[in-house]
Amino acid sequence: MRIAVMGATGQLGRATVDHLIGQVGAENVVAVARTPSKASDLAARGVVVRAGDYADVGSLRSAFDGVDTVHLIPTKAMPRERVQQVQNAIDSAKAAGVRRLVHVGIVGTDVTNKFVIMPYLLYAESAIVTSGLAWTLLRNAYYAEPIADWLPEIVRMGTIPYPFGEGSHAWATREDMARAAAAVLASGEVDGEILNLTGPAAHTVEELCAIVSRVTGQTVTHRDASVQDYIDASIADGEPEPFARLLATLYDPVRDGLTSFATTDIERITGKPPESMESFLGRVWRA
Ligand SMILES: NC(=O)c1ccc[n+]([C@@H]2O[C@H](COP(=O)([O-])OP(=O)(O)OC[C@H]3O[C@@H](n4cnc5c(N)ncnc54)[C@H](OP(=O)(O)O)[C@@H]3O)[C@@H](O)[C@H]2O)c1
């Protein structure tokens, strides 16, 4: 039963392939890569590496040959391009006789969600559900890792300029979400389900400031941040302005209350609870 992973050379894809090898054996994992040489380390571990570009239906059709399940990790392209990419993948999967699709989306997916990538996510989930193939939709929480990377700057600023308003978010580690995705891919038990892969608790920015204060031993104080405060801080941290503006829209659904929840889906699927922000940020800070 072969499982193909799109985006296998990316951060989430590599972590997912790692867990999948442990679940189904390297010979049953197909790492689909735009540039197969980037996956030579995976080939050395016995993973089947195949060339596949979301933009090239022919390459996807070949990459999915003999595959039971395709894991659709989207690229970071803008929505219009991503829509074509996912449609190419669905069409190729059907042509290749694939049985099941598992897609990585984002928590808070809803027609009212103002995140700029949302039109893609609404399209992709609808296209997958109506494809005629079996499916599972994963909706990932925002990754905890960028906050860990930002800790020195957060301590320097003495605050976290997330424009959350009264909203909250249950960040999860990429590792926990990859672990859950691998478990879903390896079992067929959650076909037809939407799983929200979140951390164990949703936190307001005030709570996140308290966590960061505890783990770093430095005082990080909550102040109401505007969208412009966040954009300014991102630019100061080295992000190009257009990307900082795009990222800022990720916090609209938080402010609108669309992400203010946590689920036990990761524990239900894997048997192990996800790591808390306090544990994760503390671990990274100490290292
Ligand atoms: N929930 C969150 O907080 C959060 C945070 C960040 C990202 N995400 C989402 O999670 C997904 C993966 O993130 P990531 O951090 O793993 O991204 P990443 O490290 O940039 O990986 C992206 C992967 O997509 C591949 N790719 C790009 N264009 C492709 C194409 N035309 N055809 C086939 N493969 C292509 C890349 O291949 P190459 O190696 O050839 O470039 C790479 O393997 C993205 O959809 C991203 O939007 C979510």
Side-chain angles (χ1 to χ4, degrees):
M1 191 193 77
R2 280 190 159 165
I3 297 165
V5 178
M6 293 296 299
T9 55
Q11 301 182 91
L12 185 63
R14 277 188 178 280
T16 306
V17 167
D18 266 344
H19 285 282
L20 209 44
I21 290 171
Q23 302 250 352
V24 298
E27 69 282 8
N28 289 313
V29 181
V30 178
V32 183
R34 260 195 307 190
T35 315
S37 59
K38 280 194 184 174
S40 53
D41 57 318
L42 297 176
R45 293 169 67 192
V47 170
V48 181
V49 175
R50 291 183 182 165
D53 189 321
Y54 269 117
D56 175 359
V57 174
S59 73
L60 296 178
R61 170 69 185 79
S62 306
F64 297 161
D65 194 41
V67 161
D68 174 82
T69 299
V70 173
H71 189 38
L72 295 169
I73 297 180
T75 68
K76 288 179 172 167
M78 292 307 284
R80 191 181 295 273
E81 196 180 340
R82 286 201 206 190
V83 160
Q84 189 58 57
Q85 291 177 342
V86 76
Q87 194 58 58
N88 287 348
I90 294 168
D91 293 344
S92 306
K94 288 171 84 167
V98 165
R99 187 184 62 81
R100 181 172 66 134
L101 302 171
V102 176
H103 179 259
V104 176
I106 201 156
V107 293
T109 292
D110 186 89
V111 287
T112 63
N113 186 318
K114 301 187 199 95
F115 177 39
V116 291
I117 305 299
M118 194 48 49
Y120 159 75
L121 291 159
L122 294 168
Y123 179 91
E125 291 195 348
S126 303
I128 289 165
V129 168
T130 57
S131 66
L133 304 185
W135 55 268
T136 302
L137 301 179
L138 306 180
R139 291 182 177 173
N140 285 6
Y142 300 173
Y143 296 164
E145 282 77 0
I147 299 176
D149 294 344
W150 214 19
L151 279 178
E153 182 61 13
I154 287 173
V155 166
R156 193 196 63 74
M157 291 184 290
T159 191
I160 305 176
Y162 280 150
F164 267 25
E166 301 297 311
S168 59
H169 193 83
W171 291 271
T173 65
R174 200 184 285 121
E175 183 63 21
D176 278 330
M177 292 187 281
R179 188 164 61 83
V184 167
L185 290 164
S187 90
E189 288 163 22
V190 286
D191 280 1
E193 285 194 43
I194 298 175
L195 302 180
N196 287 285
L197 304 181
T198 74
H203 300 292
T204 61
V205 180
E206 193 165 7
E207 288 162 354
L208 186 63
C209 287
I211 290 171
V212 171
S213 297
R214 283 196 294 276
V215 302
T216 63
Q218 310 285 321
T219 304
V220 174
T221 313
H222 172 58
R223 287 181 226 128
D224 273 333
S226 67
V227 172
Q228 194 56 48
D229 291 334
Y230 173 77
I231 292 169
D232 291 345
S234 297
I235 293 170
D237 199 39
E239 299 290 3
E241 184 176 343
F243 188 64
R245 291 195 177 281
L246 183 153
L247 274 184
T249 68
L250 201 53
Y251 304 110
D252 286 341
V254 180
R255 242 185 351 271
D256 292 341
L258 289 172
T259 74
S260 299
F261 65 91
T263 74
T264 54
D265 286 350
I266 290 181
E267 183 167 8
R268 175 164 72 91
I269 297 304
T270 66
K272 185 179 154 202
E275 188 170 17
S276 69
M277 284 301 273
E278 183 124 12
S279 163
F280 173 67
L281 294 179
R283 193 159 57 76
V284 174
W285 184 254
R286 286 190 298 277

